[in-house]
């Protein structure tokens, strides 16, 4: 079992930045690939970014490439999402998720992830 808790969400003006954190507890953090997803009201949950267990591979949805950076610190059992140049369309609840190794890092289906945090709200105003 892995427990995940997100933090760092808030309200920001367009063009601003936020850094989300996801603290993990339970089984060995370094054994899991990690991902960030988001869900806006009335919409399906969508993939944002993923990072392999070692941190050596990352993958992003096209709309956040060049603006968002996913990273992890296995010694601190934490994964991060640095979000720069935020846009109103980035407004959503952001969730971190964990999955066992065995899938390409570019596989973005939410059902592949085994553990989920409670989410943190990000609101970007124009």
């Amino acid at each position: 079992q892995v427990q995940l808790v997100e933090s760092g969400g808030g309200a920001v003006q367009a063009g601003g930045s936020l850094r989300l954190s996801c603290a993990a507890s339970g089984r060995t953090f370094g054994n899991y690939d990690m991902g960030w997803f988001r869900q806006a009201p009335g919409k399906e949950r969508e993939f944002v970014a993923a990072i392999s267990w070692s941190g050596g591979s990352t993958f992003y949805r096209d709309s956040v490439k060049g603006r968002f950076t996913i990273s992890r610190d296995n010694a601190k059992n934490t994964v991060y999402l640095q979000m720069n140049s935020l846009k109103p369309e980035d407004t959503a609840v952001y969730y971190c998720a964990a999955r066992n190794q065995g899938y390409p890092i570019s596989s973005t289906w939410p059902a592949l992830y085994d553990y989920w945090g409670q989410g943190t709200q990000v609101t970007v105003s124009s």
Side-chain angles (χ1 to χ4, degrees), residues 41-95:
K43 297 185 178 181
E44 296 294 318
R45 189 167 299 186
E46 67 180 16
F47 171 81
V48 178
I51 187 167
S52 63
W53 67 271
S54 67
S57 298
T58 59
F59 188 73
Y60 302 88
R61 70 178 300 112
D62 286 344
S63 63
V64 308
K65 288 181 179 177
R67 301 190 297 121
F68 291 10
T69 302
I70 188 171
S71 62
R72 68 190 297 162
D73 186 339
N74 288 350
K76 296 182 178 180
N77 296 325
T78 303
V79 63
Y80 306 95
L81 186 68
Q82 178 67 47
M83 305 185 295
N84 298 328
S85 302
L86 283 162
K87 304 175 180 179
E89 52 262 45
D90 295 318
T91 295
V93 176
Y94 283 70
Y95 300 88

Side-chain angles (χ1 to χ4, degrees), residues 16-33:
S17 298
L18 286 172
R19 189 194 194 199
L20 306 184
S21 298
C22 176
S25 62
R27 305 309 302 165
T28 303
F29 180 68
N31 289 344
Y32 296 91
D33 295 340

